[in-house]
Amino acid sequence: MISEFTSIRNWKKSEICAFAWHPHTPKCAIALKDNSVKIFSGKSEIVSNLKHRLQQCVSALAWKHHSASVLAVACKTCILIWRVDPSSLSTRPAASAAQVLAYQGHGPVTSLAWDPKGGLLASASPSDTAMLIWDVAKGACTVLRRFGGGGVSHLRWSPDGERLFAATPSQMFRVWETQTWQCERWTQLNGRCQAACWSPDGRMLLFATENEPIIYSLKFNKESTTDLIGGSKAAIVCADLSEIAYDQEDEVIKIGGLVQDMALNETGERLAVSFKPNEKNDNLSSLVALFNVGQMQLLELIPIGFVQGEPGNILQMFSFEPTFNEGALLTMVWEDGKVTYVPLFFLSSHDLEQQQNNYLHSIPDQFPQQQN
């Protein structure tokens, strides 16, 4: 079950079982096959090694927002909340530093999502029809259960904190508003939802299903109400990713097909998409397609290239490092345990606008002023 619903492509074979960047500082957590979790920081040579008797079958990691030390670990029978002091010189925090969150029948936990605004943590299991919202400080949870769809397979909290996306193992997903915890559902998908991500402002949800080479978008109003989540009634096709072939240096490259996963960078200007391999094209398992994201009148995805790994090495997962300020930094996790980084250098729209404004303000100083 974990292999089917975790974000790792081949969870059983991969040396790395989960990976997560900290949202505010260059620090990452990596879960290994031996059930240990290691924390690497760009500001320190000390590598913390987290181990606990309940830390089994780790499938997801999530750092708490506005905190340098709190890490949630999704395990087979519970969630562990580690508090790792970034100033500590210890490489092996005691097991007592971990808080255990457990609820009967809620496991294995395969997805976690922190509230960007506060201390709430959402957890999900494909075998549990309930989604749990944890008040971590109190160690208590609120059970949100809706019948239909089976369990809950994937969670994505919108960056503005207003909505929570919850996919199911069936042809349906829900979007919850986080004030009164009402939800709307979208049904009749062509298979279950395979991947999803929010735009930085929380107004746009991109998603793909397991049986179509298509990326859809749903637009949401700025603010939801108690009786309406604010989402469009129907999704819009914004990209057809059907396989195409082209020549490159006497070699035919085939790219496209069914989506495995996708991610937007922090500014929402670059989209990375991986694909499910098929019998005719094994290269898809080591390849990520890159898109420039335009949002003038309608969302527009413009292909700008792809990144391919070493032959025979399978890409397990990828994400963008959220604090990189010179464009976007794509992080790629491979089956053999390697982690590689691909910098995509560009000026963000915000920086470009700021430069244009500075230039316009400097124009009067470049010409002599008329003297009275």
Side-chain angles (χ1 to χ4, degrees):
M1 181 179 289
I2 295 177
S3 297
E4 183 177 1
F5 294 105
T6 184
S7 60
I8 293 285
R9 186 192 297 268
N10 193 333
W11 181 80
K12 286 184 177 180
K13 291 185 177 180
S14 180
E15 293 295 324
I16 295 177
C17 300
F19 180 96
W21 281 110
H22 192 283
H24 310 303
T25 187
K27 179 167 61 175
C28 67
I30 299 176
L32 302 178
K33 187 183 288 185
D34 64 359
N35 292 315
S36 66
V37 174
K38 296 185 182 297
I39 297 176
F40 298 85
S41 174
K43 300 179 181 179
S44 173
E45 295 182 357
I46 297 175
V47 179
S48 298
N49 189 19
L50 311 180
K51 290 188 175 182
H52 194 284
R53 62 181 180 82
L54 296 177
Q55 197 165 275
Q56 303 292 323
C57 300
V58 176
S59 58
L61 301 168
W63 290 97
K64 181 182 178 182
H65 294 258
H66 312 296
S67 170
S69 61
V70 179
L71 174 69
V73 181
C75 306
K76 185 177 181 179
T77 60
C78 67
I79 304 161
L80 292 178
I81 306 296
W82 287 94
R83 291 171 173 82
V84 184
D85 185 353
S87 62
S88 173
L89 299 179
S90 173
T91 60
R92 179 72 186 275
S96 58
Q99 176 186 2
V100 179
L101 302 178
Y103 189 85
Q104 186 175 2
H106 192 69
V109 180
T110 59
S111 189
L112 298 170
W114 284 98
D115 172 14
K117 293 183 177 180
L120 299 180
L121 174 68
S123 65
S125 171
S127 63
D128 188 0
T129 57
M131 178 178 69
L132 304 186
I133 306 298
W134 295 91
D135 184 330
V136 175
K138 298 179 180 179
C141 69
T142 300
V143 179
L144 299 177
R145 191 186 306 275
R146 291 292 185 274
F147 294 102
V152 183
S153 53
H154 298 293
L155 298 173
R156 298 289 185 270
W157 213 307
S158 65
D160 61 0
E162 297 294 328
R163 299 173 181 87
L164 180 61
F165 165 85
T168 71
S170 70
Q171 299 173 314
M172 177 185 69
F173 66 79
R174 296 181 176 90
V175 176
W176 297 76
E177 60 85 18
T178 58
Q179 299 300 314
T180 62
W181 293 106
Q182 300 299 311
C183 71
E184 287 184 357
R185 64 178 187 172
W186 281 260
T187 60
Q188 299 179 347
L189 307 177
N190 191 351
R192 67 179 175 86
C193 185
Q194 176 69 30
C197 56
W198 288 98
S199 62
D201 61 2
R203 301 283 302 278
M204 187 80 68
L205 176 71
L206 300 181
F207 71 91
T209 64
E210 62 178 344
N211 295 327
E212 287 182 303
I214 294 173
I215 295 178
Y216 292 95
S217 67
L218 273 176
K219 192 172 183 179
F220 290 81
N221 299 328
K222 187 173 183 180
E223 293 183 0
S224 59
T225 61
T226 57
D227 60 342
L228 185 67
I229 309 306
S232 305
K233 294 302 180 183
I236 297 174
V237 175
C238 59
D240 185 342
L241 303 180
S242 298
E243 187 176 81
I244 60 173
Y246 61 93
D247 296 327
Q248 183 182 29
E249 298 180 356
D250 299 326
E251 181 184 4
V252 177
I253 302 293
K254 293 182 178 181
I255 184 171
L258 300 178
V259 173
Q260 173 71 33
D261 201 3
M262 60 182 177
L264 276 169
N265 80 310
E266 198 70 6
T267 64
E269 295 174 90
R270 292 295 183 271
L271 176 71
V273 181
S274 62
F275 301 94
K276 294 183 178 181
N278 56 55
E279 297 179 356
K280 298 180 180 179
N281 191 0
D282 288 336
N283 289 332
L284 291 176
S285 61
S286 63
L287 184 148
V288 170
L290 299 172
F291 296 84
N292 182 19
V293 183
Q295 297 188 44
M296 296 300 290
Q297 297 296 327
L298 295 174
L299 182 73
E300 185 179 17
L301 301 182
I302 305 169
I304 57 174
F306 62 87
V307 179
Q308 191 163 19
E310 299 175 357
N313 205 358
I314 297 176
L315 178 68
Q316 294 299 310
M317 70 169 296
F318 61 92
S319 63
F320 285 103
E321 199 281 315
T323 66
F324 189 71
N325 57 12
E326 297 182 48
L329 182 62
L330 181 65
T331 308
M332 307 174 76
V333 177
W334 302 93
E335 187 180 47
D336 62 2
K338 291 181 180 178
V339 179
T340 58
Y341 308 96
V342 182
L344 310 174
F345 294 106
F346 62 91
L347 278 177
S348 69
S349 58
H350 176 268
D351 291 338
L352 187 60
E353 182 180 356
Q354 191 172 31
Q355 283 194 9
Q356 291 173 339
N357 290 335
N358 291 340
Y359 174 73
L360 292 174
H361 289 146
S362 68
I363 289 179
D365 298 332
Q366 300 176 18
F367 297 94
Q369 301 295 313
Q370 182 178 4
Q371 301 295 324
N372 294 325

